[in-house]
């Protein structure tokens, strides 16, 4: 994951993030929170 972070977020400092991989969520409803960064040209 950290190999592609600079591709999307640029140079450090990067925003805080949490990544959790689980297989037992299949079939459950869950919420994903996302923070987006607009390009400089926007």
């Amino acid at each position: 994951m950290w190999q592609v972070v600079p591709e999307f977020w640029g140079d450090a400092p990067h925003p805080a993030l949490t990544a959790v991989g689980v297989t037992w969520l299949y079939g459950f409803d869950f919420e994903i929170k996302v923070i987006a960064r607009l390009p400089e040209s926007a």
Side-chain angles (χ1 to χ4, degrees), residues 12-27:
H14 300 112
L17 59 97
T18 302
V20 178
V22 295
T23 58
W24 56 267
L25 288 177
Y26 180 77

Side-chain angles (χ1 to χ4, degrees), residues 25-32:
L25 288 177
Y26 180 77
F28 290 91
D29 292 333
F30 56 94
E31 178 179 327
I32 299 174

Side-chain angles (χ1 to χ4, degrees), residues 8-10 37-42:
F8 295 97
W9 292 99
R37 175 182 170 198
L38 296 175
E40 294 291 328
S41 61

